[in-house]
Structures are given as structure tokens and as C-alpha cells.
Amino acid sequence: MSIDYETGRVTHREVEECDTAAFRQFLEQILEAYPEGKIVMVLDNARIHHAKRLQPFLQQEKRLTLVFLPKYSPEKDIS
């Protein structure tokens, strides 16, 4: 699921298996939904988001930038 922080528009995709192929299809859906301009997505560190099979696609799609949250985010300050 993605949320456009400017408009509140939600884009989602329901799949039976959450794998690299499904994530790539979701990224393609996002690129189609937003045909112009740069797209920045903030993601957790799920393996499918870092998969080697995804890298050629990400290198090709220059409009798309993935930003990853720190591991175990949000970190809790207990001081």
C-alpha cells in the first residue's frame, strides 16, 4: 500500500503471495498511477524490497527512488 502524502490518495494491490514479483508489479502500478515526476517511496527492510532480482528494474526506472527506514525503526528512546 502507498499513501500520497500531498493528496492522501491510497494505492494498494492485493496478492496471494508477497514476493519480489508482486512487489515489482506494485512498483509498476505506482509508476503508471503517477506518470510524471520523481517518486520517492519510504519502505521497511523486507527482503523483497532489497532483492537482487529487483535491481535491474530499479536501475532502469530513474523516476523511482526507494528510501529505507533504519532497521528496527522506530527506535525507542527510553532515557
Side-chain angles (χ1 to χ4, degrees):
M1 173 174 64
S2 74
I3 301 172
D4 184 325
Y5 80 96
E6 288 183 348
T7 65
R9 177 181 175 185
V10 175
T11 304
H12 74 284
R13 179 178 184 83
E14 293 184 33
V15 295
E16 290 187 28
E17 291 191 43
C18 190
D19 58 12
T20 303
F23 182 56
R24 179 180 168 154
Q25 290 173 346
F26 178 68
L27 294 177
E28 291 170 347
Q29 179 182 351
I30 294 295
L31 287 163
E32 186 177 311
Y34 297 92
E36 297 178 3
K38 191 152 183 78
I39 299 170
V40 178
M41 296 183 75
V42 179
L43 304 165
D44 63 12
N45 283 286
R47 288 183 183 194
I48 64 170
H49 299 156
H50 292 280
K52 288 181 183 179
R53 287 181 30 208
L54 194 58
Q55 297 311 309
F57 172 77
L58 293 174
Q59 291 173 356
Q60 176 185 337
E61 294 298 335
K62 302 296 183 191
R63 294 189 313 117
L64 188 58
T65 301
L66 305 183
V67 176
F68 297 97
L69 294 171
K71 291 183 180 183
Y72 307 108
S73 180
E75 294 182 18
K76 185 176 181 181
D77 183 5
I78 57 173
S79 56

